[in-house]
Amino acid sequence: MSQGSDIPTARSGRVTIRTVAEHAGVSVAAVSKVLRDAYGVSAALRAKVEASIATLNYRPSAAARGMRGQTYTIGVIMADINNPFYPQIFEGINDGLSDTQYIPLIGLGRGLATIETTIVHAMVDRQMDGIIMIGQRLNTPGLNEVAKSLPIVVVAHHEPTATAFDTVNNDDELGGRLVVEHLLAQGYKRPAMITLSRAQLGRVDVSDRRERGFAKAMQAAGLGHYVHIEAAEAELDDVTATVRELLERPDPPDAIFGWADYYALEVLSAVRTLGYRVPEDIGVIGYDNSEPCSFTQNNLTSIDQSGREIGRQAVRMLLERIGGRTTVEHFVTTPKVSLRGSTQR
Amino acid sequence: MSQGSDIPTARSGRVTIRTVAEHAGVSVAAVSKVLRDAYGVSAALRAKVEASIATLNYRPSAAARGMRGQTYTIGVIMADINNPFYPQIFEGINDGLSDTQYIPLIGLGRGLATIETTIVHAMVDRQMDGIIMIGQRLNTPGLNEVAKSLPIVVVAHHEPTATAFDTVNNDDELGGRLVVEHLLAQGYKRPAMITLSRAQLGRVDVSDRRERGFAKAMQAAGLGHYVHIEAAEAELDDVTATVRELLERPDPPDAIFGWADYYALEVLSAVRTLGYRVPEDIGVIGYDNSEPCSFTQNNLTSIDQSGREIGRQAVRMLLERIGGRTTVEHFVTTPKVSLRGSTQR
């Protein structure tokens, strides 16, 4: 048996609207009316056509179905496929869709609101039933506009007062606080943080909240005079330069928090390139508890925000919205420290 | 300015086919005929409607356009978003599409031909203009079926005699040979290989060819008695167990080739977990030259197959197919060693 042999094709003589019409003994226009749920279709005609559709196992094309209702496609917009946190979320999305006929199709926003908007247009045009946006750059007014066209659920964007769309997050401010408390408990005295560059990205509230939690916890611990939060671009070179600047200060940090694992893995690289030992000289901690954290060469302590659960909840909420729910829901998971060797000295 | 404020919505009173009809002073049916390129539309009617469409900046929905022609969407099917090689290919895809109006939408096949087939159906249904499949499990008969419905280009699947679809690959057999030649030149005596598990995946010819190149080069070097190619599942636990088995042999290898970087990064982890030093005790080499190779904690020698170029070529070939090319093209890049610390002793 060849795989994929039941793929419909115009050239292979498979079932079309014309086949259905011939089988039912009615006109193509009549079948089209039934498919469109058009006004004035008799119950008898509907029954006859639907029987033929069932017998022939006819699937009207998504374009045709899209004209009249659901396409059973949901869009997922994420920045890129480099971030090792996203596979976790996607596992949860797959969990949530596993007993449904929905198919997720992914667009990559590349961290730019203009590209995200183009993808949203494309998804709206293609009659997708709803969109999950993950770590998007579109701001709240932009999201409200999108929500007028189709249901959306937004992951990693705190907007607890939004009513037009649902959100799923972890408590990022608490996560930032947990980082400081953990590092101090491990005996580190001067934690610093490397965060997302604003210049590149505009206001991204996930990193913002982690920064706020970090700064507040430093103050609460009597370290308000030592709050170093430095922004870097995502590339290894820029993270390395930023780490070097920090470590060449007269009062260098003895621990560095990378705001997300894909930064923290580069911080690990930078710290070792500069000749420091982890965790003895410098502790390193990330955020997301993504898969590479557990590789021996990384052995990276990280904050677990339950990415798979976030993906599951996002799907549940989107399907509820598609099903007609108009009330709003904002779901928040509780972060926790996942301890590994990079902060154990 | 709110971002995304020009997203079309039925509720926002934006331009519809009705607006166009009113502006042009013709019926909705007449506009529809022009949009459909229907028979019997006069040049005067066409000119009037097209002028109104231009003035109003009207975009017919993709579903409507899909009924009559191109949707300017291409599908990309890849196994997952865990593999650090895929971002390279995607950079090339973005390069290739940057001056076009095409949007790529991604489906994840999860290494299963059944899921790939469902996604292909979805993409055909949604009138996508073509599909790029990367490392798919669908076999050649399945791909020939798909190619009856729409243009496809296949990446990482060697089928040099295929005529219904184009392919883009690197020379994987040469790559396997380069691994052995490199390791022997570095002074290693007993290289082994950890490869993709067949049980899980069926015949995947990229790993197959790398194995063949590896085995042939071992024979050519007089090491035909020492060809150890062990299959493992992709998870860290299974790779670690397989590395342990190899290293506990009476004649353990002194170097290990992970068939792709996402395996080799786990091999690195396993070797160090088991207490061996890299590169002194065990050399480790990967394939793909993906971004994490250059992190200090990995410092992983790898075979570069020019992933970005592969992505660019795949797009070029798909757009040519969409444009009407019916001749076949099979494009192959030449792999080369990218030397780092993991094999330098």
Side-chain angles (χ1 to χ4, degrees):
Chain A
M1 280 283 296
S2 82
Q3 293 164 309
S5 59
D6 59 335
I7 290 161
T9 142
R11 298 178 219 168
S12 67
R14 285 191 61 84
V15 177
T16 66
I17 191 168
R18 195 166 303 280
T19 330
V20 174
E22 282 165 13
H23 186 272
V26 302
S27 69
V28 168
V31 176
S32 171
K33 277 186 183 172
V34 171
L35 290 174
R36 284 200 316 272
D37 252 340
Y39 182 75
V41 172
S42 74
L45 174 62
R46 170 170 305 283
K48 199 167 4 179
V49 169
E50 288 184 345
S52 295
I53 286 173
T55 305
L56 298 168
N57 195 21
Y58 171 64
R59 291 184 310 125
S61 82
R65 281 184 286 130
M67 300 299 249
R68 68 193 171 84
Q70 291 188 261
T71 58
Y72 293 102
T73 318
I74 66 164
V76 179
I77 301 180
M78 49 176 70
D80 53 48
I81 52 172
N82 295 47
N83 189 329
F85 178 48
Y86 292 163
Q88 267 182 55
I89 299 181
F90 232 88
E91 266 192 279
I93 289 175
N94 285 333
D95 291 346
L97 294 177
S98 61
D99 290 331
T100 74
Q101 57 182 312
Y102 285 90
I103 292 184
L105 291 177
I106 305 167
L108 302 183
R110 298 158 70 189
L112 294 169
T114 50
I115 296 180
E116 288 170 1
T117 301
T118 303
I119 296 171
V120 167
H121 282 160
M123 290 178 169
V124 170
D125 275 1
R126 282 154 192 78
Q127 314 273 347
M128 295 200 179
D129 295 328
I131 297 181
I132 295 174
M133 303 192 90
I134 304 171
Q136 90 297 334
R137 304 293 173 240
L138 268 179
N139 57 17
T140 300
L143 294 168
N144 282 332
E145 273 301 306
V146 177
K148 288 180 186 164
S149 299
L150 81 180
I152 56 171
V153 172
V154 175
V155 174
H157 176 87
H158 293 270
E159 200 60 71
T161 62
T163 56
F165 56 88
D166 298 337
T167 64
V168 191
N169 287 286
N170 91 122
D171 184 341
D172 288 293
E173 186 169 328
L174 173 59
R177 174 151 70 85
L178 290 177
V179 164
V180 172
E181 290 174 358
H182 168 72
L183 291 172
L184 298 182
Q186 295 292 319
Y188 294 100
K189 307 290 185 202
R190 297 180 308 279
M193 174 174 182
I194 294 189
T195 191
L196 205 55
S197 165
R198 287 284 181 284
Q200 186 191 6
L201 297 166
R203 189 172 169 279
V204 177
D205 56 9
V206 166
S207 56
D208 214 51
R209 294 207 169 202
R210 292 178 197 167
E211 291 166 28
R212 207 182 313 161
F214 182 89
K216 279 190 190 171
M218 290 292 281
Q219 264 141 14
L223 291 166
H225 60 285
Y226 194 84
V227 178
H228 293 294
I229 300 177
E230 303 296 335
E233 307 289 322
E235 285 69 38
L236 179 60
D237 284 354
D238 200 54
V239 167
T240 303
T242 308
V243 168
R244 177 180 285 119
E245 275 170 35
L246 275 170
L247 295 179
E248 286 176 354
R249 297 177 57 87
D251 55 344
D254 58 1
I256 300 178
F257 166 36
W259 81 278
D261 283 345
Y262 71 107
Y263 268 59
L265 291 165
E266 295 182 339
V267 169
L268 266 185
S269 176
V271 167
R272 288 180 175 147
T273 298
L274 297 171
Y276 296 87
R277 294 166 305 164
V278 176
E280 296 86 347
D281 304 324
I282 309 287
V284 179
I285 181 170
Y287 205 108
D288 293 339
N289 203 22
S290 58
E291 206 196 359
C293 293
S294 59
F295 295 179
T296 312
Q297 62 269 34
N298 299 319
N299 203 8
L300 179 65
T301 298
S302 189
I303 302 293
D304 193 316
Q305 56 166 310
S306 305
R308 187 165 181 171
E309 178 65 12
I310 285 173
R312 272 195 213 111
Q313 295 294 338
V315 165
R316 173 186 62 77
M317 289 154 71
L318 187 67
L319 295 183
E320 288 175 7
R321 285 257 177 191
I322 291 170
R325 173 165 61 76
T326 53
T327 53
V328 72
E329 181 174 347
H330 298 292
F331 191 94
V332 181
T333 66
T334 302
K336 56 180 190 296
V337 177
S338 188
L339 175 64
R340 295 196 187 79
S342 68
T343 57
Q344 275 186 302
R345 66 173 184 185
Chain B
M1 279 284 294
S2 86
Q3 293 164 311
S5 59
D6 59 333
I7 291 161
T9 141
R11 300 181 218 165
S12 67
R14 284 190 62 83
V15 177
T16 66
I17 191 169
R18 195 167 302 279
T19 329
V20 174
E22 280 165 13
H23 186 271
V26 303
S27 69
V28 168
V31 176
S32 172
K33 276 186 184 172
V34 170
L35 290 174
R36 284 200 317 271
D37 253 340
Y39 181 76
V41 172
S42 73
L45 174 61
R46 170 169 306 284
K48 199 168 1 179
V49 170
E50 288 184 344
S52 293
I53 286 173
T55 305
L56 298 168
N57 196 21
Y58 171 63
R59 292 183 310 125
S61 83
R65 280 184 286 130
M67 299 300 249
R68 69 193 170 85
Q70 291 189 261
T71 57
Y72 293 103
T73 317
I74 66 163
V76 179
I77 301 181
M78 48 175 70
D80 53 49
I81 52 172
N82 295 48
N83 190 327
F85 178 47
Y86 292 162
Q88 266 182 58
I89 300 181
F90 231 88
E91 266 191 280
I93 290 175
N94 285 333
D95 290 347
L97 294 178
S98 61
D99 289 332
T100 74
Q101 57 182 312
Y102 286 91
I103 291 183
L105 290 178
I106 306 167
L108 301 183
R110 299 157 68 188
L112 294 168
T114 49
I115 295 181
E116 287 170 2
T117 301
T118 304
I119 296 172
V120 167
H121 282 159
M123 290 177 168
V124 171
D125 274 2
R126 282 154 191 78
Q127 315 271 347
M128 295 199 180
D129 295 329
I131 296 181
I132 296 173
M133 302 192 91
I134 304 171
Q136 89 298 334
R137 304 294 173 239
L138 269 178
N139 57 18
T140 299
L143 293 169
N144 282 331
E145 273 302 306
V146 177
K148 289 181 186 164
S149 299
L150 80 181
I152 56 171
V153 172
V154 175
V155 174
H157 176 88
H158 293 269
E159 200 60 71
T161 62
T163 55
F165 55 88
D166 298 336
T167 64
V168 191
N169 287 287
N170 91 121
D171 185 341
D172 288 292
E173 186 168 329
L174 173 58
R177 174 151 72 82
L178 291 178
V179 165
V180 172
E181 290 173 357
H182 168 72
L183 291 173
L184 298 181
Q186 295 292 318
Y188 294 101
K189 307 290 185 202
R190 297 181 308 280
M193 175 174 181
I194 294 189
T195 191
L196 204 55
S197 165
R198 288 286 181 284
Q200 185 193 7
L201 297 166
R203 188 170 170 282
V204 176
D205 58 7
V206 167
S207 56
D208 215 51
R209 295 209 168 200
R210 291 178 198 168
E211 292 167 27
R212 206 182 313 163
F214 182 89
K216 279 190 189 171
M218 289 292 281
Q219 263 140 16
L223 291 166
H225 61 284
Y226 195 85
V227 177
H228 293 295
I229 300 178
E230 304 295 337
E233 307 289 323
E235 284 69 37
L236 179 60
D237 284 355
D238 201 55
V239 167
T240 303
T242 308
V243 168
R244 177 181 284 121
E245 275 170 35
L246 276 170
L247 294 180
E248 287 176 353
R249 296 178 58 86
D251 56 344
D254 59 1
I256 300 178
F257 166 36
W259 82 277
D261 284 344
Y262 72 106
Y263 269 58
L265 291 166
E266 295 182 339
V267 169
L268 266 186
S269 176
V271 166
R272 288 180 175 147
T273 296
L274 297 170
Y276 296 87
R277 293 167 305 165
V278 176
E280 296 85 347
D281 304 324
I282 309 287
V284 180
I285 181 169
Y287 205 107
D288 293 339
N289 203 22
S290 58
E291 206 198 358
C293 293
S294 60
F295 295 179
T296 312
Q297 62 268 37
N298 299 319
N299 204 6
L300 179 65
T301 297
S302 189
I303 302 294
D304 193 316
Q305 57 166 309
S306 304
R308 187 165 182 170
E309 178 66 11
I310 285 174
R312 271 194 214 112
Q313 295 294 337
V315 165
R316 172 186 62 76
M317 289 155 72
L318 188 67
L319 295 184
E320 287 174 10
R321 284 258 177 190
I322 292 170
R325 173 164 62 76
T326 54
T327 54
V328 72
E329 181 174 348
H330 297 292
F331 191 93
V332 181
T333 66
T334 302
K336 57 179 192 297
V337 177
S338 187
L339 175 63
R340 295 196 187 80
S342 68
T343 57
Q344 276 187 301
R345 66 176 184 183

